[in-house]
Every structure is written in structure tokens, then in C-alpha cells.
Amino acid sequence: MYNFAFHRPTGLRQASNMLGKLEEAKILAGGQTLIPTMKLRLASPGNVVDLNAIADELSGIELKGRSIVIGAMTRHADVANSDVVKQHLPALAYLAGLVGDPAVRHRGTIGGSLANNDPNADYPAAALGLGATIHTTKGKYEADNFFKGLFETALGADEIITKVSFPLAKKAGYEKFRNQASRFALVGVFVSKRGSEIRVAVTGAGSNGVFRVASFEEALKKRFAPKSLEGLTIPATGMNSDIHGSAEYRAHLVGVMARRAVTRANEFAAGEGED
Amino acid sequence: MPKVSMTVNGNAVTADADARTLLVQYLREGLRLTGTHVGCDTSQCGACVVHVDGKAVKACTMFAWEAEGKTVLTIEGLAQNGKLHPMQEAFRENHGLQCGFCTPGMIMTAVDMVNRKGHDLDDPTIRHELEGNICRCTGYHNIVKSIAAGAKAMA
Ligand code: FES
Ligand code: FES
């Protein structure tokens, strides 16, 4: 790893200023992606701005009206174990518990995952699959306008995610086929139903990052059941293809995971007993 | 080189650390606490697991300076007064190790598991919780047995 200078701002404004002024600056949140990437020299920031000194201010999970609001520095383990999330949005707690492994979940953060927008990460599927709102130091974005392709988001260079607001869904489920070594999603599908709005978001598969599947959403409008998706596939064009799986294999998995995610969503909804 | 200070196994310590010095390097090279191992250096094997402020983390995936002022527990800090920690004792009793390379990480992960999940751990729970720890020797069977026994012994 190339050496760098690190900075530990004690306020959000100070952090934004640093990001604006320092050259080749990168934010360090949980570090579970940034540090491995720096080891591989895929990233070699001259300056690292660590948000951990202001982690308290940026952490927490709260039920606000019909949404769950999660601070950007909240760790995956805290989302996975949160009673509020488990009760009101069990699919999100379930998803957080599938990220990495227990030690990684103690460090990794929701804001870091969304800002990084790794094409195989879990959280982008939840954000897009629930229609979350991503709040930053400069404003807010709907998930539909936030993800811009591989490792690309709408965030400006000196912009920091502060919190993420997930609207409660009547039904929501996630299913992930993971790479056994990295624990990342080879294909992960998040489905949700909120009133008449149906969302199906896919991570891991697309060569341009997380995306929605309109044909699946349409089919689920008639009946929110795995049967509605039977026989439906998506084309292999635009799918990732690498040593872990071909484009055709991933396209096939999208259908399989989507059906399982719907099943899980229905199970969560039945078990939850409210809504 | 700048200094980084923290509390390790109950002792206040200070050692040199570059910005890029990983916590595991700081422990092994700076403090000569070589019980914490480096297996993969890519966040996968869990040989480097230590506790920071009471939570299991991969010491190869954290900078030393991130632990400035924090409380760190390594495998060397488990035994008390020359007596093995119950989880260590359980690994010995149940033949939970062969070459021993993965063992410090396995034991630190096991103790964290008990801290979070209690003393009554069934096989599926233990196996699931070990998803971030890799062993090339044992086939895991005796590790799972050791953790179940160690968890009870810690009660
Ligand atoms: S050395 Fe840290 S996980 Fe393998
Ligand atoms: S005992 Fe040899 S790697 Fe686990």
C-alpha cells in the first residue's frame, strides 16, 4: 500500500471542507472496502479523511413516521440486530446480516456501502428496491437518481452521506446467491410492495451496477407471488461475466433469486403480523 | 515515525506506526504480540481477529491509528494467571486445532460469539458465525465442538 496522510475531522462541516481542499482525498468510514482496495493499489488516495471521530453524530436507527432512518456511519451489525428494523423492515435487517462476516459487519457502514456502489454490494439493492432517500451534506437524492454505474454515484467530491431513509413496505424480501470466498453477491435481488408500487432491484448481476427489472415489477402487480414470475427471464446482454459466472448464468440466477425473494417477502409479511 | 497509543490486553502501550500501518502489523511488529496471525491479508480468513472495544474485527482491515485510544484484546490477553481461558481449554480438550495457525482467530471469534449470543450455542449457529474464519486443517468439526463446550464453560 502506498502511504498517505490521514485526517480526523471532529465535525461534519470540517470534514466537507477537508474533502474540498485536500488533493486526492478519500473518505474512510468502516474501511472494509477502502483498505482492501488500497492494499491492491486499486486506490491510492493521498489523503484519507476518517469519519470515525464523528461517528456518533452520524449513527443511529430511528422509526420516523412511515420510514426507518439510519445514520450513515451505522454499522451493518447494528442494522442486522436492531429491534426496530427487525420489526418493521425485516428484509433490511436480514440483508445487513448477510454482508461479509461478523467481524466485517462490526466495522462496515451503510453510508460507505452506498457511496462506494460496488456492483456486487447488498445495500444498493435495498436502497433501490425500497425507493430509499439518501440524505447528504448538500441535499438529498432518490435512490432512482443516486446510482450512476460501476462505483459511481451522484455524490460530489466533497459531499458526504449523512443518513438514509427507507420507507416501510407492506412486503419486502431479499435473496442473495453469494460468492463463497468474498461473501459478495454474485446475484442479489430485493423485492418490495408498497401500496401499488412494486420494486425489483438486482445487484451483482449487471455490468453497470444495481438496476430495476420492469418486466418483473409488472408481473408482480397482478399478484405478489413467485408464481407470477414463472417463465420470466431477463436477457444476458448487459450482465457481468467473469470467472465466477457467465452472463447467461447470472441472468438465470436473477429469475431464481427474484422468485425466492418474493417468497421470503411473503413469509416476512406473514410472520410480522402487522401492516 | 508517528506514535500510536492504545490499551492492549490491559496495558497502556505506544509504538511507531505509519499512516498505512495495519493494526495487525502494529500488534505483531510494534508490540511483538505475534499470537495474532496474518493468513490472507484480504479480510477473508479471520486469522487476524482481535477485539476492539469489545467487538471482533479483522486486524488486517483496520489501520493502527484507527485504534488510537481504544481498548484491544488479543489472544495473549485471554489466559489469566497462567491459566488458560475456558475457550482455549475447550479447544485443547476437544482437539479443536491441528497446525494451530487459524486458532487465535477462531478463539477470538468464538469469545465474541459468546459475548453476543450467549452460552448455549447450537451447531448451525456456530457454523454460521464462523463464516469469516477459515481453517485448512481440521474440517471444522472439532472447532464447532470446542466452541460449544467453551461457551458452556464460560458461563
Ligand atoms: S489476515 Fe485478516 S482476514 Fe485473513
Ligand atoms: S488448525 Fe491448521 S489452519 Fe486451522
Side-chain angles (χ1 to χ4, degrees):
Chain A
M1 187 190 303
Y2 294 111
N3 215 355
F4 57 90
F6 67 86
H7 312 269
R8 314 197 78 182
T10 50
L12 205 46
R13 176 167 312 210
Q14 192 191 7
S16 311
N17 287 343
M18 282 178 172
L19 287 168
K21 286 207 193 87
L22 296 165
E23 275 184 35
E24 303 170 81
K26 272 266 183 206
I27 298 177
L28 176 71
Q32 302 303 289
T33 300
L34 182 62
I35 296 175
T37 315
M38 287 170 70
K39 286 181 184 178
L40 292 169
R41 296 185 175 173
L42 293 173
S44 47
N47 291 286
V48 168
V49 177
D50 175 30
L51 297 185
N52 283 281
I54 43 173
D56 285 349
E57 169 186 345
L58 290 175
S59 300
I61 299 169
E62 226 187 319
L63 183 67
K64 272 200 179 155
R66 300 293 298 157
S67 297
I68 288 181
V69 182
I70 302 181
M73 284 293 285
T74 309
R75 317 277 166 179
H76 305 320
D78 294 324
V79 176
N81 296 321
S82 153
D83 289 334
V84 172
V85 183
K86 280 198 269 191
Q87 191 188 339
H88 297 281
L89 214 42
L92 189 62
Y94 176 74
L95 173 142
L98 293 178
V99 181
D101 59 57
V104 168
R105 293 196 286 273
H106 278 152
R107 298 290 303 162
T109 67
I110 185 170
S113 173
L114 293 174
N116 190 50
N117 192 17
D118 186 298
N120 298 292
D122 298 292
Y123 267 121
L128 194 60
L130 282 164
T133 305
I134 293 131
H135 296 258
T136 74
T137 43
K138 298 210 162 150
K140 58 183 179 183
Y141 302 92
E142 297 309 320
D144 286 307
N145 307 320
F146 181 76
F147 302 106
K148 299 281 183 200
L150 295 188
F151 300 103
E152 293 286 338
T153 66
L155 290 170
D158 58 345
E159 191 169 7
I160 303 170
I161 300 180
T162 52
K163 60 189 180 188
V164 189
S165 171
F166 293 94
L168 299 187
K170 191 164 185 320
K171 293 179 172 180
Y174 182 62
E175 205 56 56
K176 157 174 172 178
F177 190 94
R178 63 174 155 203
N179 178 314
Q180 286 303 325
S182 73
R183 330 301 287 169
F184 272 103
L186 199 60
V187 170
V189 180
F190 199 103
V191 299
S192 77
K193 174 182 167 62
R194 185 162 47 103
S196 61
E197 186 176 344
I198 307 265
R199 284 174 173 260
V200 177
V202 178
T203 187
S207 53
N208 213 18
V210 67
F211 63 93
R212 287 173 69 180
V213 187
S215 60
F216 286 18
E217 294 176 356
E218 205 49 50
L220 288 169
K221 266 188 193 142
K222 292 179 197 96
R223 203 168 137 239
F224 196 80
K227 242 184 157 25
S228 308
L229 297 177
E230 246 164 50
L232 287 185
T233 52
I234 62 166
T237 42
M239 293 294 113
N240 262 333
S241 185
D242 54 27
I243 55 165
H244 307 297
S246 65
E248 290 74 20
Y249 182 59
R250 280 187 162 88
H252 175 72
L253 275 180
V254 170
V256 178
M257 291 301 116
R259 291 196 294 275
R260 290 188 192 167
V262 172
T263 302
R264 193 172 287 280
N266 285 332
E267 284 168 7
F268 279 140
E272 195 191 312
E274 65 150 51
D275 251 322
Chain B
M1 218 188 271
K3 303 263 182 219
V4 172
S5 305
M6 62 189 81
T7 303
V8 177
N9 302 332
N11 306 312
V13 296
T14 298
D16 290 333
D18 247 348
R20 62 180 160 182
T21 302
L22 300 167
L23 178 59
V24 71
Q25 284 173 295
Y26 176 91
L27 295 168
R28 288 179 56 84
E29 292 160 30
L31 304 179
R32 297 278 160 194
L33 291 172
T34 53
T36 304
H37 292 166
V38 180
C40 64
D41 199 27
T42 54
S43 320
Q44 287 172 359
C45 74
C48 64
V49 169
V50 301
H51 297 187
V52 175
D53 283 351
K55 287 184 176 165
V57 303
K58 293 187 159 172
C60 75
T61 315
M62 189 168 166
F63 294 119
W65 55 264
E66 287 187 89
E68 172 83 46
K70 297 201 184 298
T71 300
V72 176
L73 180 68
T74 73
I75 189 73
E76 289 92 343
L78 286 186
Q80 295 295 330
N81 309 319
K83 208 170 160 289
L84 289 181
H85 182 278
M87 191 58 80
Q88 292 174 304
E89 192 59 53
F91 269 70
R92 183 165 79 168
E93 274 302 305
N94 292 282
H95 197 57
L97 58 142
Q98 290 180 20
C99 81
F101 193 84
C102 69
T103 316
M106 288 287 176
I107 291 179
M108 297 312 287
T109 298
V111 172
D112 178 68
M113 205 185 299
V114 176
N115 291 345
R116 287 182 293 111
K117 306 239 149 188
H119 299 279
D120 203 9
L121 300 171
D122 58 15
D123 271 29
T125 305
I126 296 172
R127 287 180 187 275
H128 182 68
E129 286 282 327
L130 283 181
E131 63 183 333
N133 293 75
I134 294 173
C135 174
R136 298 305 303 271
C137 305
T138 63
Y140 302 97
H141 198 69
N142 286 349
I143 293 179
V144 175
K145 237 165 95 182
S146 305
I147 294 176
K152 288 216 165 66
M154 280 171 68

